Amino acid sequence: MAGRIDAFAHVTPPTFYEEMREVHPTAALENLYFEPIWNLDVRIRDMDDHGIDRQVLSLANPPIWRGMSPEEALPMTRLANDLVREMADEYPDRLIPVATLPYVTDDYVAEFQRCITDLDMKGVQLFSNEAGRPIDSPAHMALYDVAASEGRPVWLHPQLHEWHTWDSEFELHRTLGWPFDTSLAMARLVFSGAFERNPDLTVITHHMGAMVPYFIGRLTTFFEARVNNPDMYPAFEAPEFSTTVREQFEKFYGDTVIGGEPAAFECGRAFFGDDHVLFGTDYPFGPEGGRRFMRQAVDLVEGVESDGTRQAIYRDNLEALL
C-alpha cells in the first residue's frame, strides 16, 4: 500500500436503504443506490487498485433526509450510524466510520455522544444547511463544544437548497449550488464565532473549501469595509476576532474532491497550506463508479514535488486529526 487515506467517501448500508424506502421513499434514495455504494468487496478492490490503504466512511446522499422532521429522522439516524459502524467493522484495518446527523437538536447532540462513547466513531458529518436554516444555532454550538472537547472532527457536506425555481435544471443545484452552500456554511461558522468559542474545533470541508480559497480576498476586504464604515452599514454587527478574518477561514481543512483540476488544487494548497489539505475522493460518486475520482485525486497529489508534502496530504494530516 502507498499509505493513502481517503478522507471523504460515502456508503449506504443495505438495511438502511430498505428501511428508509419504507419510512421516507424519495427519488434521491432510489437513484443513487448502486453497487459500489453498498458492496464492500467492490470498494476494497477499488481502493487496492488505487493504492488506498484506508477510507473514511460517511453516510451518503444528504437530500434523502429532506422532507423529514428532526423527530421523524432520529430513529433512522441512529440506525444509519449503527450500520456504518458495522460495515467498518467488516474491514477494521481499512475503513474508518464517522457518524452522520441530518439535524442538530438536543436529541442529536445526545446521538453524537452515543456515537463517540458506544460506537467509537471518529467524528461526525453535518450538512451545510438544515432545511434551509444555518448551522450556527445554539444546538449546533453545543455540538461543536462536544466535538472540540472530544477531539472529533466535523465533516461538512453540502446540502441542497432552492435559491431559484430553476436551479435544479441541468443539475446546477448540485454542481454549483453545493459549493455555494458550503461556502455560506463556512462563513456562518466564522462570523458566528464558532472558532472563537472553540479554538480546537476541526472542520473538514468537501471540495477543497468550495468558493472560499478563490474569494478569500473578497471576504476579508468586505469585512474590513463594513468594520471601518459603520455608518454605511448600520445593520452589520461585526464580531470580535482574536485573529484576522483570513486566519479564521484558514482553520478549515479542504479535501481533493475538485474534479481533478490542478489549478483548483493549487489554489486550495496556497490558501489552506499543505498541512490543511486532505486526500479525498468522494467515492463512489463520479464517473466509472467513483474510480475516476480516485484516479484524479491520486494524480493531483502525485504532482506535488516534495515527498514529505505528498505524505502529509495522503496520510499524515488526517492521522493527526484522528
Side-chain angles (χ1 to χ4, degrees), residues 37-50:
I37 211 163
W38 59 263
N39 189 323
L40 293 185
D41 293 334
V42 171
R43 181 179 300 263
I44 296 299
R45 182 199 67 201
D46 289 342
M47 290 168 61
D48 289 345
D49 287 348
H50 295 84

Side-chain angles (χ1 to χ4, degrees), residues 215-234:
F215 284 105
I216 187 60
R218 183 174 177 83
L219 284 162
T220 57
T221 55
F222 266 60
F223 178 80
E224 292 168 6
R226 279 148 180 78
V227 170
N228 295 333
N229 299 279
D231 294 339
M232 294 176 63
Y233 305 100

Side-chain angles (χ1 to χ4, degrees), residues 161-181:
H161 183 59
E162 285 77 32
W163 302 277
H164 305 287
T165 58
W166 44 261
D167 57 20
S168 62
E169 296 175 13
F170 312 111
E171 286 293 298
L172 297 178
H173 59 334
R174 284 186 172 85
T175 53
L176 295 176
W178 273 10
F180 173 65
D181 212 67

Side-chain angles (χ1 to χ4, degrees), residues 9-284:
H10 307 291
V11 66
T12 300
T15 300
F16 172 80
Y17 167 73
E18 295 296 340
E19 293 286 335
M20 197 68 162
R21 289 181 77 190
E22 294 296 321
V23 301
H24 189 61
T26 62
L29 181 70
E30 294 292 340
N31 294 345
L32 293 177
Y33 190 70
F34 55 108
E35 189 171 14
I37 211 163
W38 59 263
N39 189 323
L40 293 185
D41 293 334
V42 171
R43 181 179 300 263
I44 296 299
R45 182 199 67 201
D46 289 342
M47 290 168 61
D48 289 345
D49 287 348
H50 295 84
I52 298 173
D53 184 7
R54 297 157 68 196
Q55 187 180 75
V56 172
L57 292 185
S58 64
L59 189 72
N61 207 1
I64 64 175
W65 301 98
R66 302 181 79 209
M68 298 184 82
S69 70
E71 294 75 20
E72 293 169 334
L74 186 58
M76 293 304 299
T77 300
R78 291 172 176 148
L79 176 65
N81 290 329
D82 287 341
L83 293 172
V84 170
R85 172 76 263 184
E86 290 178 13
M87 293 185 81
D89 286 343
E90 294 187 40
Y91 291 92
D93 296 329
R94 307 295 302 276
L95 302 176
I96 303 166
V98 301
T100 292
L101 301 179
Y103 297 97
V104 179
T105 65
D106 291 345
D107 287 337
Y108 283 86
V109 176
E111 168 62 7
F112 181 37
Q113 289 275 20
R114 184 186 76 90
C115 289
I116 295 171
T117 304
D118 297 347
L119 303 182
D120 190 29
M121 301 184 97
K122 300 306 180 183
V124 60
Q125 176 181 233
L126 301 181
F127 304 150
S128 58
N129 76 77
E130 186 181 283
R133 295 181 294 273
I135 61 169
D136 54 353
S137 70
H140 280 87
M141 290 300 188
L143 184 140
Y144 303 143
D145 291 344
V146 174
S149 65
E150 296 285 348
R152 306 291 169 126
V154 173
W155 274 258
L156 180 59
H157 193 289
Q159 174 63 292
L160 289 183
H161 183 59
E162 285 77 32
W163 302 277
H164 305 287
T165 58
W166 44 261
D167 57 20
S168 62
E169 296 175 13
F170 312 111
E171 286 293 298
L172 297 178
H173 59 334
R174 284 186 172 85
T175 53
L176 295 176
W178 273 10
F180 173 65
D181 212 67
T182 297
S183 305
L184 291 181
M186 293 169 69
R188 292 289 306 202
L189 289 176
V190 166
F191 293 121
S192 67
F195 293 115
E196 287 292 304
R197 174 168 165 155
N198 282 299
D200 294 329
L201 177 64
T202 297
V203 180
I204 299 168
T205 65
H206 223 1
H207 313 123
M208 193 62 90
M211 298 165 60
V212 168
Y214 191 82
F215 284 105
I216 187 60
R218 183 174 177 83
L219 284 162
T220 57
T221 55
F222 266 60
F223 178 80
E224 292 168 6
R226 279 148 180 78
V227 170
N228 295 333
N229 299 279
D231 294 339
M232 294 176 63
Y233 305 100
F236 180 73
E237 296 183 10
E240 294 186 7
F241 292 131
S242 58
T243 70
T244 66
V245 172
R246 184 187 185 96
E247 288 169 325
Q248 292 283 316
F249 279 98
E250 288 173 345
K251 292 178 179 290
F252 291 101
Y253 287 74
D255 71 15
T256 58
V257 182
I258 47 176
E261 286 297 319
F265 179 58
E266 293 304 324
C267 180
R269 288 181 64 198
F271 172 69
F272 287 116
D274 287 326
D275 59 340
H276 276 226
V277 175
L278 306 175
F279 173 73
T281 69
D282 208 16
Y283 184 89

Side-chain angles (χ1 to χ4, degrees), residues 277-298:
V277 175
L278 306 175
F279 173 73
T281 69
D282 208 16
Y283 184 89
F285 295 114
E288 303 168 34
R291 291 175 63 88
R292 186 185 297 181
F293 279 4
M294 282 183 161
R295 188 166 64 249
Q296 288 174 337
V298 170

